[in-house]
């Protein structure tokens, strides 16, 4: 765990919405399941180096999800209960209340606010799900909030149910000066 003042410059890993409903639940897809060992290894790498790891967790109110714009456009209930919103598989053991930002939309302004307390961030790396929705949204927010910080998306640790749309999202990220690494052509 990172302790303020221990390092001159820090790196942050943001694991976006690696939750049961996005992996093998109501919005799950086969490629998401395969991300588990890679995301777990990346989290371990950051933690072993004493760097910060933050998780975002999508969570919707089951009583009003269908009345939200997202619920009307994506009428598949997800992340509305403890089971579906739980961090998936072996990655879950690294997630706790102190390193989690709960959100009810694609991108999280709270995530940017939380990281803004640290003046010594040199890099924010992002992985998780869905690459063309929540990873994209959070990467754009973080780039806007931290224009001089290197923002990285690890393509080998993110996916979408549509490879074509995910590739387009990665193209957009590169176009706004976010470094996309480990991309397979």
């Amino acid at each position: 765990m990172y302790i303020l003042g221990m390092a001159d410059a820090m790196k942050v890993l943001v694991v976006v919405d690696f939750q049961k409903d996005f992996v093998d639940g109501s919005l799950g897809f086969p490629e998401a399941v395969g991300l588990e060992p890679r995301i777990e290894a990346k989290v371990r790498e950051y933690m072993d180096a004493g760097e910060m790891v933050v998780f975002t967790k999508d969570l919707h109110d089951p009583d009003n999800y269908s009345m939200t714009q997202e619920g009307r456009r994506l009428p598949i209930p997800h992340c509305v209960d403890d089971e579906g919103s739980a961090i998936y598989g072996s990655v879950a053991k690294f997630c706790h209340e102190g390193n989690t930002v709960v959100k009810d939309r694609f991108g999280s302004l709270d995530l940017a606010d939380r990281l803004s307390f640290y003046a010594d961030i040199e890099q924010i790396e992002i992985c998780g799900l869905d690459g063309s929705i929540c990873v994209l949204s959070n990467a754009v927010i973080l780039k806007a909030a931290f224009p001089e910080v290197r923002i990285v998306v690890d393509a080998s640790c993110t996916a979408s149910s549509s490879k074509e749309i995910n590739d387009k999202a990665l193209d957009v990220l590169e176009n706004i000066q976010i470094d996309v690494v480990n991309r397979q052509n």
Side-chain angles (χ1 to χ4, degrees), residues 35-146:
L35 296 178
E36 181 182 7
R38 293 192 297 269
I39 291 176
E40 179 182 6
K42 186 167 290 289
V43 170
R44 282 185 188 279
E45 174 187 329
Y46 270 75
M47 289 187 159
D48 289 349
E51 303 291 0
M52 181 184 289
V53 176
V54 179
F55 291 84
T56 69
K57 199 171 177 187
D58 200 40
L59 186 62
H60 298 285
D61 182 343
D63 296 327
N64 80 345
Y65 176 72
S66 64
M67 294 177 272
T68 66
Q69 182 171 225
E70 180 181 336
R72 288 187 303 273
R73 292 178 178 218
L74 179 64
I76 301 169
H78 62 281
C79 300
V80 295
D81 59 27
D82 289 341
E83 181 182 345
S85 66
I87 299 297
Y88 183 78
S90 61
V91 177
K93 65 183 163 243
F94 302 107
C95 181
H96 53 79
E97 187 175 317
N99 70 353
T100 303
V101 175
V102 176
K103 62 185 190 59
D104 65 352
R105 59 203 67 191
F106 300 146
S108 174
L109 298 174
D110 291 339
L111 173 62
D113 287 344
R114 182 172 182 168
L115 295 179
S116 72
F117 287 102
Y118 301 94
D120 54 353
I121 297 174
E122 70 175 344
Q123 176 179 298
I124 301 170
E125 183 171 355
I126 304 164
C127 65
L129 297 171
D130 178 288
S132 64
I133 302 173
C134 294
V135 169
L136 173 72
S137 297
N138 283 287
V140 170
I141 288 170
L142 292 171
K143 183 65 176 175
F146 303 96

